[in-house]
Amino acid sequence: DTAVSQTPKYLVTQMGNDKSIKCEQNLGHDTMYWYKQDSKKFLKIMFSYNNKELIINETVPNRFSPKSPDKAHLNLHINSLELGDSAVYFCASSRFQGAGELFFGEGSRLTVL
Amino acid sequence: DAKTTQPTSMDCAEGRAANLPCNHSTISGNEYVYWYRQIHSQGPQYIIHGLKNNETNEMASLIITEDRKSSTLILPHATLRDTAVYYCIVRVGSGNTGKLIFGQGTTLQVKP
């Protein structure tokens, strides 16, 4: 069983569209995260949720809206996609908020044309 | 911004020890050092972390200097599968708002 799973793995779409990436963890962790890795390979934290509550929001444009229906799921919805949104998005989880050991998914590569 | 600096790249011969250095001269007394790696096209993987004492697990050893301003990750017998980008991270913030800020990392190439 994959501990942190993301879908889809690849996503190609046109500018202006709205898309979602889903993430699920089966580790029983309380905290989930979204990270963005751009073309220069820098990994940047976007959001963290603890037991469905938003904890960290790193000044991400409000076109990005995370949603956590329960603590095992954290989905990322992106409105009005722009070319600069092209990146690999990684979901991660940790046992508790503030823990340094994160478990990452395999990533979702988003390409905006 | 990341609080660590690492060499951009390193090579290591297969079977030899890989020693990856990291500087974190502005680290605070209660901040941990974490190491992750990212193998091509995969998500980052936790390796090890420490505060002031040296640490060892099944993957690696972490040596932290006494003044805590630098550390070294040691892969005792590097294999080709250890080729990856290695990130040294000092967790920023505390409590619920603490977070991992990834820098550029060191690209380790293990050669046959």
Side-chain angles (χ1 to χ4, degrees), chain B residues 88-111:
Chain B
C88 170
I89 303 163
V90 172
R91 195 170 74 104
V92 173
S94 60
N96 280 354
T97 58
K99 56 197 173 193
L100 298 180
I101 306 295
F102 286 75
Q104 68 173 21
T106 296
T107 299
L108 174 69
Q109 182 74 47
V110 180
K111 299 187 172 182

Side-chain angles (χ1 to χ4, degrees), chain B residues 43-108:
Chain B
Q45 176 190 22
Y46 165 85
I47 301 173
I48 199 167
H49 74 278
L51 183 62
K52 57 176 84 172
N53 297 323
N54 297 339
E55 302 288 344
T56 295
N57 63 20
E58 64 278 3
M59 289 182 69
S61 294
L62 175 60
I63 309 297
I64 302 175
T65 57
E66 197 168 336
D67 63 8
R68 302 211 326 119
K69 292 185 177 181
S70 65
S71 60
T72 301
L73 179 75
I74 301 172
L75 307 178
H77 305 287
T79 71
L80 298 179
R81 284 178 293 185
D82 292 322
T83 292
V85 179
Y86 286 79
Y87 297 98
C88 170
I89 303 163
V90 172
R91 195 170 74 104
V92 173
S94 60
N96 280 354
T97 58
K99 56 197 173 193
L100 298 180
I101 306 295
F102 286 75
Q104 68 173 21
T106 296
T107 299
L108 174 69

